[in-house]
């Protein structure tokens, strides 16, 4: 089932404005779930400060942003984006509001930090998933997790996308996954390889789920959350004998997706495919907003394989940045 939308109980003098802003965003197709947290915090600030006038001054903006100045650049930037979106809404309503500058987007050096699993490591991870023991408080875990991990690696999905799959999203007749409201609020179709499709058909015999809105990968509480899958992934890494560097060091669960992308580029290269034509297909398959995110995988492929580095450089040198975001 889809995660229900959060409708907060704003209490400040700005309550109606904040609710109208939230409604406006959702009316235009944005789920605006995470941003609710920021709006609630702003509501508390307005209430505790005893502010009655609906005027977003520079002082209010500064106080609002001060609490995340010590946090990571990414966290602070998300807070700035939230307040900028509110400011733009207020300005459209003819209200006075100060627009704060948008900080530079923190860049990720994907090529130097991403871990690409070898074929042997992937095999060990999958074997560990297949050997998960039956546990009383999660009686379907040993059935669900092996197929969920295979979908993450075999289809290159983001973990949240896999967790949100419903029975109706998985077309086992056509062999296609429907990813609804993925990152950037984009829907897309993802084909399933024949081997994985065969496994998923067997899996559904144990699933006993027929309602279209039922979770395809159910947890004891209904739907797995990414954090729970990450914890299980850590367990699989340990069983597979793959060292983990600790919190924030990886390997990360998201690197199953990185590994899928790089292996796909390798496969196309070695089979003589035109990578210039294939790159946009990979971008669409992964649900990237543009080719920028996909270009990072060219950099990774180049770094991992010196034998194809020269050809990749000659074809894509003009689009392979030194620093790439995933």
């Amino acid at each position: 089932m889809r995660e229900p939308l959060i409708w907060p109980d704003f209490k400040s003098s700005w309550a109606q404005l904040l609710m109208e802003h939230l409604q406006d965003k959702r009316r235009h197709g944005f789920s605006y779930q995470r941003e609710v947290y920021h709006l609630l915090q702003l509501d508390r600030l307005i209430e505790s400060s005893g502010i009655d006038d609906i005027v977003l001054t520079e002082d209010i903006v500064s106080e609002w942003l001060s609490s995340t100045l010590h946090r990571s650049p990414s966290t602070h930037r998300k807070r700035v984006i939230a307040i900028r979106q509110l400011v733009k809404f207020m300005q459209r309503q003819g209200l006075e509001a100060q627009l704060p500058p948008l900080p530079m987007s923190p860049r990720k050096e994907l090529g130097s930090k991403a871990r690409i699993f070898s074929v042997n490591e992937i095999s060990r991870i999958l074997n560990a998933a297949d050997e998960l023991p039956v546990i009383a408080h999660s009686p379907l875990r040993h059935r669900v997790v092996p197929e969920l991990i295979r979908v993450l690696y075999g289809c290159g999905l983001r973990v949240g996308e896999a967790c949100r799959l419903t029975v109706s999203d998985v077309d086992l007749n056509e062999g296609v996954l429907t990813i609804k409201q993925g990152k950037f609020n984009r829907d897309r179709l993802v084909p399933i390889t024949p081997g994985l499709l065969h496994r998923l058909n067997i899996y559904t015999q144990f699933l006993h789920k027929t309602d279209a809105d039922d979770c395809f990968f159910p947890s004891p509480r209904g739907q797995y959350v990414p954090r729970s899958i990450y914890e299980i992934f850590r367990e699989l890494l340990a069983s597979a004998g793959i060292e983990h560097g600790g919190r924030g060091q990886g390997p990360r669960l998201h690197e199953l997706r990185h590994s899928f992308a790089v292996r796909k580029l390798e496969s196309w290269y070695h089979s003589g495919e035109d990578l210039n034509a294939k790159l946009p297909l990979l971008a669409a398959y992964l649900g990237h907003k543009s080719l920028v995110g996909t270009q990072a995988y060219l950099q990774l492929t180049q770094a991992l394989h010196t034998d194809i580095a020269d050809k990749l450089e000659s074809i894509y040198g003009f689009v392979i940045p030194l620093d790439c975001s995933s």
Side-chain angles (χ1 to χ4, degrees):
M1 295 179 63
R2 301 294 180 196
E3 183 180 356
L5 293 177
I6 300 171
W7 292 99
D9 182 20
F10 298 120
K11 299 182 181 300
S12 72
S13 58
W14 291 31
Q16 183 177 345
L17 171 72
L18 295 175
M19 183 58 72
E20 288 175 354
H21 171 51
L22 178 58
Q23 291 170 339
D24 180 70
K25 281 295 183 182
R26 289 180 174 170
R27 191 162 50 245
H28 285 85
F30 298 96
S31 64
Y32 229 62
Q33 290 283 73
R34 295 179 181 177
E35 291 81 359
V36 166
Y37 173 73
H38 296 306
L39 295 180
L40 276 170
Q41 286 193 321
L42 179 60
D43 183 67
R44 294 192 189 101
L45 172 62
I46 298 298
E47 184 181 28
S48 63
S49 301
I51 297 172
D52 293 323
D53 295 334
I54 303 180
V55 177
L56 192 55
T57 64
E58 185 174 352
D59 288 342
I60 296 175
V61 171
S62 297
E63 185 174 355
W64 158 254
L65 295 177
S66 64
S67 64
T68 53
L69 286 174
H70 66 288
R71 305 285 294 278
S72 70
S74 176
T75 298
H76 182 67
R77 190 170 190 272
K78 289 175 182 177
R79 197 174 180 88
V80 174
I81 290 173
I83 198 68
R84 283 174 60 90
Q85 290 174 342
L86 174 62
V87 166
K88 291 177 182 179
F89 176 77
M90 293 177 68
Q91 290 175 342
R92 290 197 299 271
Q93 309 306 310
L95 298 171
E96 185 179 344
Q98 179 73 32
L99 187 68
L102 184 64
M104 291 285 290
S105 178
R107 307 287 289 184
K108 297 179 182 179
E109 297 180 4
L110 180 59
S112 63
K113 293 184 179 180
R115 166 70 174 274
I116 303 304
F117 292 110
S118 68
V119 173
N120 177 267
E121 287 174 328
I122 290 293
S123 178
R124 284 150 53 193
I125 290 170
L126 296 180
N127 286 337
D130 290 338
E131 295 172 4
L132 278 173
V134 179
I135 53 178
H137 67 273
S138 186
L140 286 177
R141 189 183 77 142
H142 67 294
R143 298 285 189 190
V144 170
V145 170
E147 309 317 319
L148 193 155
I149 295 294
R150 282 177 167 86
V151 165
L152 290 177
Y153 176 69
C155 298
L157 298 191
R158 302 175 179 94
V159 61
E161 294 171 342
C163 290
R164 290 191 298 270
L165 285 172
T166 65
V167 170
S168 65
D169 294 333
V170 183
D171 188 338
L172 297 178
N173 293 318
E174 297 296 329
V176 174
L177 303 177
T178 299
I179 309 301
K180 298 175 182 175
Q181 294 295 296
K183 193 173 182 181
F184 311 115
N185 295 296
R186 291 171 175 239
D187 296 349
R188 71 184 191 278
L189 300 178
V190 175
I192 310 169
T193 61
L196 180 55
L197 181 60
H198 176 69
R199 288 192 63 99
L200 293 181
N201 272 294
I202 296 175
Y203 164 75
T204 56
Q205 298 175 19
F206 296 98
L207 188 60
H208 300 304
K209 297 284 187 180
T210 57
D211 191 311
D213 291 329
D214 284 341
C215 288
F216 191 74
F217 294 120
S219 77
R221 297 182 179 179
Q223 177 182 300
Y224 273 108
V225 296
R227 178 67 190 178
S228 297
I229 301 302
Y230 168 74
E231 291 172 354
I232 296 173
F233 181 65
R234 289 284 299 269
E235 181 181 341
L236 298 180
L237 290 178
S239 298
I242 299 173
E243 185 177 353
H244 193 280
R247 184 174 178 82
Q249 301 301 312
R252 302 173 302 153
L253 181 58
H254 197 64
E255 276 149 358
L256 290 174
R257 174 176 161 90
H258 293 334
S259 299
F260 162 82
V262 169
R263 298 300 172 214
K264 182 59 66 177
L265 283 171
E266 289 174 354
S267 174
W268 284 335
Y269 171 79
H270 289 300
S271 62
E273 298 284 352
D274 180 1
L275 297 185
N276 191 42
K278 290 293 188 179
L279 193 64
L281 296 179
L282 183 60
Y285 194 98
L286 292 170
H288 284 165
K289 190 174 182 180
S290 68
L291 285 179
V292 174
T294 320
Q295 288 161 3
Y297 295 120
L298 287 172
Q299 182 187 15
L300 280 174
T301 307
Q302 187 181 43
L304 288 169
H305 296 277
T306 56
D307 60 317
I308 65 176
D310 291 341
K311 183 169 183 178
L312 284 175
E313 179 66 29
S314 67
I315 299 174
Y316 293 112
F318 68 100
V319 296
I320 302 180
L322 295 177
D323 297 325
C324 304
S325 60
S326 58

